[in-house]
Amino acid sequence: MRVYVETLIKADLEEVWQATQDLAQHQRWDLRFGRIQAQPGGRLRYTTLGVSGTGLATRSRHLTRSPAESRTDSSTGSRTSALRFGSAHPLSPIRSGSGYWRYLPAPGGGVRFRTGYRYRPNVLPARLMWWATAWSFDRLRLWLETGRTPERLLRQALTEAALRTAAVTLAACVLPPLAVLAVAALALTVPPLPTTPAARRCLRRPPHNPSPHNPSHDDSRPLHGTGATTPCPRSSNARSAPISPASTPSSSAASG
């Protein structure tokens, strides 16, 4: 299975790097992982959908405390983090995979943050994997742009989902069937609030169709949707996430 996700984050590249490479920060915004811990020998352990004890084998280069393969392109100021991951647990959603995170300075400011990876699924459908990745990317974007914490953004998303469900339930109690179907359709199709994370704001294919498996490819043209939704306009009063500058970046447990 293949997954590609990209978004534009109106934040400094170093802020995006810290929020994604530091394990303590990564596990706060990434919906796919409940916990990510560094292990001796350049390994990581993480939990996915409550399944613990999953091992992650990676390679290290340049960043001595990063268990992922990372590099900086001095000519463009971009960065790349690549890794391999897998689990032998029978309930693990993913058996094995490999991928990358790519950080590209955008011409108009901010960072084009993208991931592309392949994996062998166990029990997790590909569509759900893409949605979880894209939703998490938008959650990260909102955190760095607005200063709303990942925890607050999750609560807001759950509250909005509960209100939509309640509206459909109430309609089912007082309205005829056709009206109930109309309310349900609206609940499913009306876009979330601008400050609520949404997977639909991310690209699902590379702009202008560059290869998703070539992380060195840098398309400097502006993002636009090609069979995907262009990320929404960014907040004008962006704020950065509260990240300690003293921390050394650690690799993400899933560059995808």
Side-chain angles (χ1 to χ4, degrees):
M1 297 292 184
R2 301 180 181 181
V3 172
Y4 180 91
V5 176
E6 178 175 345
T7 191
L8 172 63
I9 302 176
K10 288 293 187 179
D12 183 74
L13 188 148
E14 192 62 36
E15 294 174 344
V16 180
W17 179 263
Q18 286 278 357
T20 54
Q21 295 293 317
D22 183 89
L23 300 183
Q25 305 300 336
H26 178 201
Q27 67 185 13
R28 295 179 62 192
W29 60 264
D30 199 330
L31 189 65
R32 298 166 297 174
F33 303 98
R35 183 175 58 181
I36 313 170
Q37 294 178 318
Q39 299 290 313
R43 297 176 63 88
L44 299 176
R45 294 184 69 85
Y46 60 89
T47 61
T48 301
L49 298 180
V51 178
S52 60
T54 302
L56 173 66
T58 63
R59 295 169 293 173
S60 177
R61 186 171 64 186
H62 298 315
L63 296 179
T64 58
R65 288 184 58 189
S66 171
E69 178 183 339
S70 305
R71 64 183 175 85
T72 299
D73 186 341
S74 59
S75 63
T76 63
S78 63
R79 300 182 187 182
T80 300
S81 176
L83 54 82
R84 292 178 296 173
F85 51 92
S87 172
H89 196 290
L91 297 180
S92 174
I94 298 175
R95 285 180 286 179
S96 62
S98 62
Y100 67 88
W101 276 353
R102 179 73 163 155
Y103 308 74
L104 301 170
V111 178
R112 289 167 53 170
F113 182 45
R114 62 175 59 162
T115 184
Y117 59 97
R118 295 182 178 184
Y119 71 97
R120 296 175 61 199
N122 197 13
V123 296
L124 194 64
R127 177 66 181 177
L128 182 58
M129 191 65 171
W130 181 90
W131 180 88
T133 304
W135 190 94
S136 298
F137 269 42
D138 200 49
R139 185 189 191 186
L140 170 67
R141 177 187 69 81
L142 288 169
W143 179 26
L144 296 180
E145 291 187 354
T146 70
R148 295 170 181 253
T149 65
E151 296 78 14
R152 178 182 176 184
L153 291 168
L154 177 59
R155 290 193 298 269
Q156 180 172 325
L158 292 174
T159 299
E160 186 169 333
L163 290 175
R164 290 171 185 254
T165 302
V168 176
T169 302
L170 180 61
C173 295
V174 300
L175 297 177
L178 288 180
V180 174
L181 290 177
V183 173
L186 287 174
L188 291 173
T189 58
V190 171
L193 294 174
T195 55
T196 298
R200 68 181 73 187
R201 298 192 184 109
C202 296
L203 297 179
R204 69 181 65 224
R205 287 198 293 270
H208 309 292
N209 297 319
S211 171
H213 306 298
N214 181 10
S216 64
H217 181 94
D218 181 3
D219 185 346
S220 61
R221 289 168 288 185
L223 278 175
H224 74 277
T226 305
T229 304
T230 303
C232 66
R234 308 308 184 199
S235 171
S236 59
N237 55 349
R239 297 170 52 194
S240 63
I243 300 173
S244 171
S247 63
T248 302
S250 297
S251 165
S252 155
S255 62

